[in-house]
Amino acid sequence: MRRKLSSSAEEDNEGSTANHPQPNHDEKKTTFSTAKYDLTRHSDTLDRRKVEKALAPAQLTPSACTPPAKPSSSPKKSEGLPAGQTRDKMLDARARQNLRIRSPWSCSLLTLTTTLSAFSLMLYILHSFATRQLDSKGCDMYYTSSMFYRFADFDTEHTRFASKYSLHLYREIGYDEDYKVKGVPVLFIPGNAGSYKQARSLASETVRHYYNNVQQNKEALSAGATSIDFFSVDFNEDFTAFHGQTLLDQAEYLNDAVSYILSLYHDPRRSQRDPVLPDPSSVILIGHSMGGVAARTMLTMPNYQSNSVNTIITISAPHARSPVSVDSDLVRTYQRINDYWREAYSQKWASDNHLWHVTLISIAGGSLDTTVPSDYASLASLVPSTHGFTVFTSSIPGMWSGADHIQTTWCVQLVRPIARSIFEALDVHRPSQTKTRAERMRVFKRWYLTGIEDTAEKMLLHKEPTTLLTLEDQSNSINPAGKRLVLRTLGKHDKSNAHVLPIPPQGTPGRKKFTFLSNLPLEEVAHGGHLDVLFCSVLPLQPGHSAALFSMNIDLSDGRAGSTRLACENAASDRIALPASYRTSVHPFDKTPPFSYLQYELEDLGDHQFVAIVDKASGATTAWAIAEFSDASESIMSVNTGLWRLVAFGSRLKLPAERPLMTSFEIPALYSSLLAFKLRMGNQVCGENAELFTPLLRQYLSEPHESRYVVNVKEANVSLHGIAPFMPPPLRSQAANHGLSLQFWTDPTCGSSIDVSLMIDVSGSMGKLVIRYRTVFAAFPLLIVALVLRKQFKLYDDSGVFVTFTESMDFCFRTSMPLLFLALTVLGISLAASSTAKSTGWSNWGTNATESAVDYTKNDLLLGSQDPFFWFLGPMFGLLSASFCLMINYAALVVVCLLQMPLRLLSFRPKWRRHDPTKKPSMPAFAATSPKRRIITASVLLLLVSTVVPYQFAYLVACIVQIATCVRAFRHAQENRSAANHNFYNYVHSILILMLCVLPINIPVLVVWIHNLAVHWLTPFSSHHNVLSIMPFILLVETLTSGQMIPRASVRLTYVTNALFFSLAVYAAVYGITFAYLLHHIVNGVAAWLVALHFSGSDLSLSGLTRILDGHDNDGDVKKRP
């Protein structure tokens, strides 16, 4: 039974055909509004008012690129006309009032206001990211005189990737130009789209440091230091961050390269090493960006040679999480690699741990690195502190600055400590060419960490007394117990002078701590420098015996009898460098000589009785020194203010007038990397005496090791990389999180209090969202588009009108989206509550919890945050995504308008010729092409996908074809203004928006494939040739090219359509960011369902498929093309 259209729809169809001459034969007049009404439909008892209400916007529509036609200037009521005719004109006027609503450009006030508000918020966030909470750049560029030697014999006999990748040896012009190997092998691994030449700065520094310093240092040579052979791999600038198979290929090639490098040292024709020394059995790896991940992947590959790698240093490498999740291979490879490392370090016995000998150091660039979030460089979830750690460049002594992603490869302040730490970790007398794991960790901590950390190892505990200090018994240089020592001018005496502080006895209440600060360096060499800090014990030796036991003798007794002899250890090896802070200081990385700082717990000084500050300056200087013993209760204070209160009201701190040299504030509530604060500090008033130095601030986190210094503090930005979204939990349960800590070094001689305020920086905090949530726009737009399409199909199945994208968006803003945003908020809060319950529940009771109980995927859901404070992020990103979708909608409209203009010019006919019956009618916009041709085209494309091209390429082709379909549908809707034509255009346009939202997920793999073609690597991908991943898209696009409007579905089928789009929306919201690659397959399933709906009116057979593609209905009649 056929359903009858409403009068408005029938009149619309009649009006659309009356303006065009028709052939003089009986042809069934079938349009999209009347086609397939003999199929299963809704009950005819549908509320007529509901249908008419839905059809109201579906009146005649003017050109979307031109303004609507002006109404006739005839009067509202003509004399002599029947009343019914007047009412008809009034109805026509009402219809014309709805023209703007039908236009695809039109937008309701609610949608417009919401979109503009969201767009303004987006601009505000981007502006905050670009202008607020910015770190200063302090890197100096390194200049080299480099040359690279390529190993042409590293060919296909050694690796199957010889035609794609290559291996090079670095040599420095003017120092070492011989291509023979002679030292310890170090291999540099470039990152995503990186060049092998990025190794120049670090390689040049190792060469120059060896020939200028190490070669003349007999002590370093005897300790095992030698020259370094710096190798680098050319990956042809592969895009490793986009493709998992490329990452695996690089790891396989690197293992082949390591085997080849080690074989060079066994060949006398290629090696100049001392034959007495053992041949190297391992290679030190240095990886930049994804090169660091490739280095870790090497140890999981089948061709890995056991113990061939024991030291890995990575720079700006995303270890914890893949930078993008658009490739299934990449996500699975990351999961497999991280699981391998976690499982290895969870073994009870070292013999069961294949990585027990490996040390892994991760160096992050901080906030300046906008390519990869530095949060992802954390090793807390992968490696225990005994085998590795994460450090930020702002913490490295002497650098004290952030660095962007590329700066880390050539920054002078960074490559120097890396090169020196490598030399100090070498031991050429061992086959591994490096010291033991514990010794290597000690070396790396000394070079990369500040030394103020609670876990910092003090060298004083491992040293023997080397200095004999002789003092006169009646000397007045002994400082009273508990009194601070302040030396404002060193060298004012003509001879060396010692100032002695008695060390409080063990067990003294108050948890004493010794601190020392000076603007002079502390020297290890005997008689070197102007200042020594010695920790001494009374030594009852007879005169004349000191020279045989001590390497250094400091006699300040003037040869008088009854002097006291002290056996002392020099503390210079524990010197901590701090940025100099004066009134003229601007940045911590200024070229001003740094301060020298010492800090010891009383327990570290149990074997000593005195601290001697020896002033060896020969004349008056501007140098100064401060030393004291202070109570921990005075120097460490905890700010127990909740996060909500801190954000709402800030915090007011006060440094008292009587304060120690260093004061620390611990703020446990500040642990999130999404929050930024502003710190303001009052003036330091010193009265009569001029201040020795201005306040110095260090803001730091204990895990990861990140410290940021602010000199001459007046106002400072406070933001660190604490707990970040999507980050997995730590590998093992660790100490309680102390949150952010603020350390102040102030002049204690000033005797005035200082006020400190800490307030939330809203703009700076909003800017922090950009780098952490960039990938949200690969998932959340699909959430919005799924809801919009769901509403469009629901209205279409109910009323036969397929509304525009913006109109459906308006419906969603009024109905489903508020409920969705509320659901996202509730889900985020519930996830945070469940995470808190698990972390504090009975499952973690006791000390027998194993690492297998840690859920490393608990932060993969939704927006990756387990903090209920950020409940508003879900609705906010939902609104931003809605605005983003509308921008895509209008951008697509602009493209369609621009592309259809040439078609209008080519098909333009004067008005007097448009209705000339003698002229041949114009070709229809959707002329039926041969079904055989379309089937062959689709088959060829599917064949190419299964053999040569990835399905991402076919998807791009499908998008282009869909754009062409939209252009033709848009042009036809302008020329033949009927509800059927506009239904079809709105349908294909919405499908185009859906496909465009999926396109960014497919583009990265397509870029990798095109790059492989450019480097003549024709090996097809193993995981991107699934025909089923693209067939529904191709069938849907091919069906739409024939002008086939999707038939209205029955009630049961409508439920399926709603369920599919709702499932897509839920998945995009909950899992879309972490597993974005699955969004393509879900949308692919939706496309398969739409194809099934298109074919629902015909027999599911090959002949039925052919007839549908050819545009024939079941009765053999040809449908009128829209």
Side-chain angles (χ1 to χ4, degrees):
M1 178 181 70
R2 297 182 179 271
R3 293 177 54 189
K4 183 178 180 181
L5 281 176
S6 63
S7 59
S8 60
E10 290 179 314
E11 291 170 359
D12 186 44
N13 289 334
E14 293 174 1
S16 64
T17 57
N19 295 329
H20 299 274
Q22 302 295 328
N24 295 324
H25 58 82
D26 295 334
E27 181 182 355
K28 184 187 297 182
K29 297 182 180 181
T30 307
T31 65
F32 292 124
S33 299
T34 58
K36 303 298 181 182
Y37 272 172
D38 54 342
L39 301 178
T40 304
R41 290 290 179 259
H42 288 298
S43 173
D44 287 338
T45 60
L46 191 65
D47 188 352
R48 181 175 180 82
R49 289 176 296 175
K50 181 178 179 181
V51 175
E52 292 178 350
K53 180 179 179 181
L55 285 175
Q59 305 303 318
L60 300 181
T61 306
S63 171
C65 295
T66 58
K70 295 183 180 180
S72 175
S73 59
S74 58
K76 294 183 180 180
K77 185 175 180 179
S78 301
E79 295 182 0
L81 290 178
Q85 190 170 351
T86 304
R87 286 194 297 269
D88 291 340
K89 291 185 177 182
M90 294 177 63
L91 291 175
D92 292 340
R94 293 176 182 177
R96 284 192 291 270
Q97 291 177 359
N98 291 325
L99 293 180
R100 294 184 180 180
I101 301 177
R102 273 299 313 272
S103 172
W105 295 93
S106 64
C107 188
S108 68
L109 182 61
L110 173 63
T111 304
L112 180 63
T113 303
T114 306
T115 303
L116 291 179
S117 300
F119 185 70
S120 300
L121 178 60
M122 186 183 301
L123 293 180
Y124 174 68
I125 293 175
L126 294 175
H127 180 267
S128 300
F129 172 72
T131 59
R132 302 301 296 268
Q133 292 279 336
L134 299 180
D135 293 341
S136 300
K137 296 183 178 181
C139 283
D140 296 329
M141 182 171 286
Y142 201 102
Y143 295 94
T144 67
S145 300
S146 58
M147 58 182 293
F148 286 91
Y149 172 77
R150 178 176 179 178
F151 292 95
D153 57 342
F154 185 43
D155 51 19
T156 54
E157 295 183 2
H158 299 87
T159 177
R160 64 189 181 100
F161 299 100
S163 61
K164 186 180 183 182
Y165 305 142
S166 58
L167 180 66
H168 300 259
L169 174 65
Y170 179 89
R171 288 303 185 221
E172 183 81 3
I173 299 176
Y175 286 89
D176 185 8
E177 303 180 15
D178 189 2
Y179 65 89
K180 292 185 177 181
V181 295
K182 57 181 69 68
V184 175
V186 174
L187 178 61
F188 177 82
I189 308 172
N192 181 62
S195 169
Y196 70 98
K197 295 182 179 180
Q198 290 177 328
R200 289 176 296 185
S201 299
L202 187 55
S204 177
E205 177 61 23
T206 59
V207 173
R208 297 182 183 184
H209 181 65
Y210 173 76
Y211 285 101
N212 296 336
N213 299 285
V214 177
Q215 197 174 38
Q216 288 77 36
N217 190 336
K218 295 182 179 180
E219 183 179 353
L221 295 175
S222 62
T226 186
S227 62
I228 289 178
D229 296 319
F230 220 100
F231 298 86
S232 184
V233 178
D234 182 9
F235 283 140
N236 266 319
E237 300 182 359
D238 256 347
F239 293 97
T240 329
F242 300 156
H243 199 228
Q245 186 58 49
T246 301
L247 177 62
L248 295 175
D249 292 346
Q250 290 187 0
E252 180 181 342
Y253 178 83
L254 288 170
N255 280 325
D256 295 336
V258 167
S259 300
Y260 176 80
I261 290 172
L262 295 177
S263 68
L264 296 176
Y265 294 88
H266 299 285
D267 188 354
R269 298 170 299 175
R270 312 288 292 271
S271 174
Q272 291 183 349
R273 276 176 63 94
D274 188 347
V276 179
L277 299 176
D279 292 330
S281 63
S282 67
V283 177
I284 298 175
L285 302 181
I286 299 178
H288 176 253
S289 187
M290 289 299 294
V293 181
R296 286 201 304 119
T297 310
M298 292 172 57
L299 280 66
T300 68
M301 299 296 292
N303 67 331
Y304 170 67
Q305 182 178 334
S306 181
N307 297 327
S308 60
V309 173
N310 66 6
T311 303
I312 303 176
I313 300 175
T314 65
I315 306 171
S316 301
H319 291 293
R321 179 181 171 87
S322 62
V324 294
S325 59
V326 297
D327 179 50
S328 59
D329 284 346
L330 184 63
V331 175
R332 296 191 188 103
T333 300
Y334 254 89
Q335 183 177 358
R336 183 175 62 85
I337 297 168
N338 291 345
D339 288 345
Y340 180 89
W341 281 70
R342 289 165 183 153
E343 182 180 357
Y345 288 116
S346 65
Q347 301 299 319
K348 183 177 181 180
W349 306 105
S351 58
D352 298 329
N353 184 1
H354 304 294
L355 305 176
W356 182 257
H357 61 288
V358 178
T359 56
L360 175 61
I361 309 300
S362 177
I363 302 175
S367 300
L368 289 178
D369 189 350
T370 57
T371 303
V372 174
S374 291
D375 307 291
Y376 293 0
S378 174
L379 300 176
S381 63
L382 300 171
V383 178
S385 58
T386 55
H387 290 72
F389 58 86
T390 306
V391 63
F392 284 71
T393 56
S394 57
S395 302
I396 298 178
M399 183 168 183
W400 298 316
S401 170
D404 64 33
H405 202 66
I406 302 300
Q407 278 182 337
T408 52
T409 61
W410 51 257
C411 181
V412 173
Q413 292 87 340
L414 180 59
V415 298
R416 284 179 178 171
I418 292 178
R420 284 156 174 75
S421 66
I422 292 176
F423 276 109
E424 197 168 331
L426 297 181
D427 188 354
V428 74
H429 306 293
R430 294 165 52 92
S432 64
Q433 304 297 292
T434 59
K435 293 181 170 64
T436 63
R437 176 188 55 80
E439 291 176 315
R440 275 178 280 143
M441 286 297 298
R442 190 178 299 115
V443 168
F444 293 140
K445 287 182 178 180
R446 185 165 60 252
W447 278 101
Y448 300 149
L449 302 186
T450 63
I452 314 177
E453 295 81 7
D454 295 336
T455 59
E457 187 176 3
K458 302 298 183 182
M459 300 300 297
L460 184 69
L461 304 177
H462 306 283
K463 297 176 65 174
E464 295 294 332
T466 57
T467 302
L468 180 64
L469 178 62
T470 305
L471 299 176
E472 184 181 354
D473 281 346
Q474 303 299 323
S475 174
N476 295 325
S477 60
I478 298 180
N479 211 52
K483 185 178 180 181
R484 178 186 297 121
L485 174 65
V486 179
L487 304 176
R488 303 189 69 89
T489 304
L490 296 178
K492 62 181 180 180
H493 302 286
D494 295 335
K495 60 179 182 178
S496 298
N497 191 21
H499 304 270
V500 180
L501 284 76
I503 298 176
Q506 297 294 321
T508 301
R511 191 186 165 195
K512 297 289 185 180
K513 175 189 296 184
F514 173 78
T515 53
F516 169 85
L517 185 67
S518 176
N519 61 344
L520 284 181
L522 302 180
E523 303 289 346
E524 281 272 15
V525 184
H527 306 291
H530 301 289
L531 185 65
D532 285 336
V533 179
L534 307 175
F535 290 86
C536 309
S537 300
V538 176
L539 186 66
L541 286 178
Q542 298 297 326
H545 293 175
S546 61
L549 299 177
F550 299 96
S551 60
M552 182 177 179
N553 183 12
I554 301 178
D555 190 353
L556 303 179
S557 63
D558 293 334
R560 299 176 184 176
S563 57
T564 300
R565 295 176 176 82
L566 303 176
C568 304
E569 301 171 17
N570 197 319
S573 58
D574 290 331
R575 170 185 178 260
I576 299 170
L578 294 179
S581 181
Y582 301 107
R583 289 190 178 275
T584 58
S585 300
V586 179
H587 301 114
F589 48 81
D590 291 340
K591 305 305 180 183
T592 309
F595 290 166
S596 297
Y597 179 68
L598 295 174
Q599 178 176 299
Y600 294 96
E601 299 292 338
L602 187 59
E603 292 78 8
D604 299 332
L605 308 177
D607 298 333
H608 305 88
Q609 297 169 308
F610 301 96
V611 181
I613 312 298
V614 182
D615 177 9
K616 299 186 296 183
S618 58
T621 64
T622 57
W624 48 265
I626 303 174
E628 67 177 8
F629 284 93
S630 59
D631 292 340
S633 59
E634 299 177 354
S635 59
I636 302 177
M637 289 173 278
S638 181
V639 181
N640 297 317
T641 305
L643 180 59
W644 291 91
R645 185 175 181 83
L646 278 174
V647 172
F649 306 104
S651 180
R652 305 287 179 178
L653 311 176
K654 191 179 188 65
L655 297 177
E658 295 296 328
R659 60 181 179 273
L661 173 64
M662 188 275 292
T663 306
S664 178
F665 292 94
E666 295 179 352
I667 313 177
L670 297 187
Y671 52 80
S672 176
S673 62
L674 298 179
L675 294 178
F677 287 80
K678 275 288 186 181
L679 182 142
R680 291 178 174 82
M681 193 170 187
N683 294 327
Q684 178 176 264
V685 182
C686 289
E688 297 180 359
N689 298 323
E691 60 186 4
L692 299 177
F693 63 97
T694 55
L696 171 66
L697 167 64
R698 172 190 175 230
Q699 45 180 304
Y700 72 94
L701 294 172
S702 56
E703 182 59 42
H705 297 290
E706 182 182 13
S707 297
R708 294 175 61 188
Y709 293 92
V710 182
V711 297
N712 193 19
V713 186
K714 296 177 182 177
E715 184 177 288
N717 295 326
V718 177
S719 64
L720 293 173
H721 294 77
I723 298 179
F726 305 108
M727 290 295 294
L731 182 67
R732 296 174 180 172
S733 58
Q734 301 178 357
N737 178 29
H738 296 292
L740 174 70
S741 295
L742 303 175
Q743 281 185 326
F744 295 91
W745 285 269
T746 56
D747 189 348
T749 64
C750 291
S752 61
S753 61
I754 304 177
D755 294 326
V756 179
S757 65
L758 188 66
M759 302 296 293
I760 184 70
D761 183 359
V762 178
S763 297
S765 300
M766 298 299 285
K768 298 295 179 184
L769 299 175
V770 175
I771 189 67
R772 273 88 179 184
Y773 285 113
R774 290 178 300 181
T775 55
V776 76
F777 291 102
F780 269 45
L782 277 172
L783 161 67
I784 304 300
V785 173
L787 294 179
V788 172
L789 277 167
R790 174 181 171 272
K791 191 66 176 179
Q792 285 178 303
F793 275 96
K794 187 176 185 303
L795 292 175
Y796 175 64
D797 290 334
D798 288 344
S799 63
V801 177
F802 206 97
V803 298
T804 64
F805 188 88
T806 53
E807 190 174 357
S808 180
M809 179 78 76
D810 180 64
F811 286 140
C812 292
F813 275 135
R814 299 175 187 276
T815 55
S816 57
M817 282 193 188
L819 296 177
L820 171 70
F821 296 156
L822 178 61
L824 292 178
T825 302
V826 173
L827 179 60
I829 295 176
S830 61
L831 289 175
S834 62
S835 175
T836 304
K838 288 181 180 180
S839 62
T840 59
W842 62 270
S843 59
N844 290 330
W845 179 82
T847 58
N848 295 326
T850 61
E851 288 76 22
S852 59
V854 179
D855 182 11
Y856 296 105
T857 63
K858 69 177 185 179
N859 294 334
D860 290 344
L861 302 179
L862 208 59
L863 293 173
S865 176
Q866 298 293 325
D867 192 341
F869 177 82
F870 299 103
W871 62 267
F872 60 89
L873 290 182
M876 186 185 74
F877 281 117
L879 287 175
L880 293 178
S881 299
S883 175
F884 184 72
C885 289
L886 281 177
M887 287 190 290
I888 295 178
N889 170 65
Y890 285 117
L893 282 173
V894 170
V895 172
V896 168
C897 280
L898 293 178
L899 292 178
Q900 67 91 30
M901 285 180 181
L903 295 179
R904 293 191 65 187
L905 293 177
L906 292 176
S907 60
F908 175 77
R909 289 184 300 166
K911 186 175 181 179
W912 60 273
R913 297 185 59 185
R914 294 179 189 176
H915 304 289
D916 188 355
T918 62
K919 299 299 180 179
K920 185 179 179 180
S922 60
M923 293 296 294
F926 290 92
T929 59
S930 170
K932 183 178 180 180
R933 179 183 302 174
R934 293 201 298 272
I935 292 176
I936 292 176
T937 302
S939 301
V940 170
L941 190 57
L942 293 176
L943 179 62
L944 290 175
V945 169
S946 63
T947 56
V948 180
V949 302
Y951 70 77
Q952 288 83 359
F953 176 80
Y955 185 83
L956 178 62
V957 174
C959 290
I960 296 174
V961 174
Q962 184 66 14
I963 293 175
T965 302
C966 287
V967 172
R968 291 192 295 166
F970 184 78
R971 171 173 168 264
H972 193 61
Q974 287 181 303
E975 295 178 352
N976 304 287
R977 300 173 184 174
S978 66
N981 295 331
H982 283 284
N983 279 352
F984 181 72
Y985 171 71
N986 294 336
Y987 170 52
V988 296
H989 178 81
S990 297
I991 295 298
L992 175 63
I993 299 301
L994 177 64
M995 296 179 68
L996 290 179
C997 289
V998 181
L999 186 60
I1001 301 175
N1002 294 282
I1003 286 295
V1005 175
L1006 185 60
V1007 169
V1008 175
W1009 179 70
I1010 295 175
H1011 175 267
N1012 284 347
L1013 292 181
V1015 298
H1016 308 292
W1017 182 256
L1018 304 180
T1019 303
F1021 297 154
S1022 61
S1023 58
H1024 298 289
H1025 296 279
N1026 187 354
V1027 175
L1028 297 179
S1029 298
I1030 193 61
M1031 180 183 293
F1033 283 113
I1034 294 178
L1035 294 178
L1036 178 61
V1037 170
E1038 279 293 325
T1039 302
L1040 296 180
T1041 57
S1042 64
Q1044 175 96 12
M1045 181 60 184
I1046 190 170
R1048 293 165 61 190
S1050 64
V1051 176
R1052 293 182 179 180
L1053 297 184
T1054 300
Y1055 290 154
V1056 176
T1057 305
N1058 288 340
L1060 285 175
F1061 283 114
F1062 184 76
S1063 300
L1064 172 60
V1066 171
Y1067 185 89
V1070 179
Y1071 290 100
I1073 301 177
T1074 302
F1075 304 101
Y1077 66 92
L1078 282 177
L1079 290 172
H1080 170 91
H1081 300 290
I1082 297 177
V1083 177
N1084 187 54
V1086 173
W1089 173 249
L1090 296 181
V1091 172
L1093 290 180
H1094 274 282
F1095 294 164
S1096 62
S1098 62
D1099 295 334
L1100 294 179
S1101 62
L1102 182 60
S1103 59
L1105 175 63
T1106 302
R1107 298 183 68 83
I1108 288 293
L1109 290 177
D1110 195 27
H1112 288 76
D1113 62 12
N1114 290 338
D1115 298 330
D1117 294 315
V1118 181
K1119 292 182 180 180
K1120 187 186 71 174
R1121 305 303 180 189

